[in-house]
């Protein structure tokens, strides 16, 4: 399996622009998570999906952020308009359902976002 | 607010020594505990998980859990320069619920 795939790997944009980050989870995984990582705040959960349905979006910082999962193999995280404080590494992770023995999350390589 | 606390480090140990990484958590209902390793510029990867009080060993790694003290630790024996990374402690209340991550401890193994 190719693992969790994210694109783009790097994104540099200007304040006010729309940014779309993309994720393809591991095939057969029912849960998908979006995280943001910064030096100051560490790894924060933004939102997660189960079977394409958003379960908890309480970590989404504000209305400028939105996430969708139109099907089992694709999810997007959109920031509109982007601000410099959104600069971070954004990770997507997936985990299979039923893994109650351990909850290993498989992380994608991340998207490094820089908002100028 | 569930919190997971770690000393940010850096923790420096000489090659061959034992590295001890510590983590405390606030939610007494926590049931599953994980250690992820993250190399600079890379994504986190799971190295150990533990559910029961006591020790769990896997090669050079030992995870220790004390639920009464709300404390989990990771010991790395015979530390190698390749162990230099940030180690993230993560906690969850039940299976397939979101992990709460600590900010990580940066470990540096000096050759």
């Amino acid at each position: 399996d190719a693992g969790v795939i994210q694109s783009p790997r790097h994104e540099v944009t200007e304040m006010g622009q729309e940014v779309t980050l993309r994720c393809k989870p591991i095939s057969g995984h029912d849960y998908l998570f979006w995280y943001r990582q910064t030096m100051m705040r560490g790894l924060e959960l933004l939102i997660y999906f189960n079977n394409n349905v958003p379960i908890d979006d309480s970590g989404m910082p504000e209305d400028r952020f939105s996430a969708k999962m139109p099907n089992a193999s694709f999810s997007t995280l959109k920031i509109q308009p982007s601000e410099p404080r959104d600069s971070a590494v954004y990770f997507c992770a997936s985990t299979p359902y039923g893994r109650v023995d351990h909850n290993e999350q498989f992380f994608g390589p991340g998207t490094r976002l820089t908002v100028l | 607010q569930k919190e997971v606390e770690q000393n940010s480090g850096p923790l420096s140990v000489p090659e061959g020594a034992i590295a001890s990484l510590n983590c405390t958590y606030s939610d007494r209902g926590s049931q599953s505990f994980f250690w992820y390793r993250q190399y600079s510029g890379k994504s986190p990867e799971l190295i150990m998980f533990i559910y029961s009080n006591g020790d769990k060993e896997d090669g050079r790694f030992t995870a220790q859990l004390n639920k009464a003290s709300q404390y989990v630790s990771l010991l790395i024996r015979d530390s190698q320069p390749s162990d230099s990374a940030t180690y993230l402690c993560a906690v969850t209340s039940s299976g397939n619920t979101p992990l709460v991550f600590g900010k990580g401890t940066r470990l540096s193994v000096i050759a």
Side-chain angles (χ1 to χ4, degrees), chain A residues 11-79:
Chain A
E11 177 80 29
V12 179
T13 190
E14 293 189 347
M15 182 174 61
Q17 296 298 305
E18 177 179 295
V19 174
T20 300
L21 311 181
R22 297 173 176 80
C23 175
K24 175 180 169 56
I26 294 173
S27 177
H29 283 195
D30 291 340
Y31 284 81
L32 183 141
F33 304 83
W34 281 101
Y35 290 92
R36 177 173 67 176
Q37 188 174 41
T38 61
M39 288 293 293
M40 289 293 294
R41 300 176 67 89
L43 195 61
E44 303 174 280
L45 178 67
L46 300 177
I47 185 172
Y48 77 101
F49 296 83
N50 180 23
N51 290 323
N52 314 335
V53 176
I55 303 301
D56 185 354
D57 66 354
S58 60
M60 296 285 260
E62 46 196 278
D63 291 345
R64 298 184 296 107
F65 286 69
S66 63
K68 294 181 180 179
M69 192 166 185
N71 57 62
S73 59
F74 183 66
S75 177
T76 60
L77 178 68
K78 185 176 294 186
I79 307 172

Side-chain angles (χ1 to χ4, degrees), chain B residues 25-33 70 91-94:
Chain B
Y25 58 94
S26 63
D27 182 9
R28 284 197 169 272
S30 297
Q31 299 182 14
S32 306
F33 307 86
Q70 296 177 238
V91 174
T92 187
S93 296
S94 63

Side-chain angles (χ1 to χ4, degrees), chain A residues 31 33 35 37 40-43 45 48 91 95-105 107-109, chain B residues 32 34 36 38 41-46 49 51 86 88 92 94-103:
Chain A
Y31 284 81
F33 304 83
Y35 290 92
Q37 188 174 41
M40 289 293 294
R41 300 176 67 89
L43 195 61
L45 178 67
Y48 77 101
F91 287 105
T95 191
Y97 180 73
R99 294 285 297 269
V100 294
D101 54 342
H102 68 274
N103 191 24
E104 179 177 4
Q105 293 188 6
F107 284 80
Chain B
S32 306
F34 304 84
Y36 282 76
Q38 186 175 23
K42 302 296 185 182
S43 56
E45 56 179 345
L46 180 70
F49 61 91
Y51 304 114
T86 296
L88 303 172
T92 187
S94 63
N96 287 332
T97 55
L99 299 177
V100 178
F101 282 86
K103 292 183 180 180

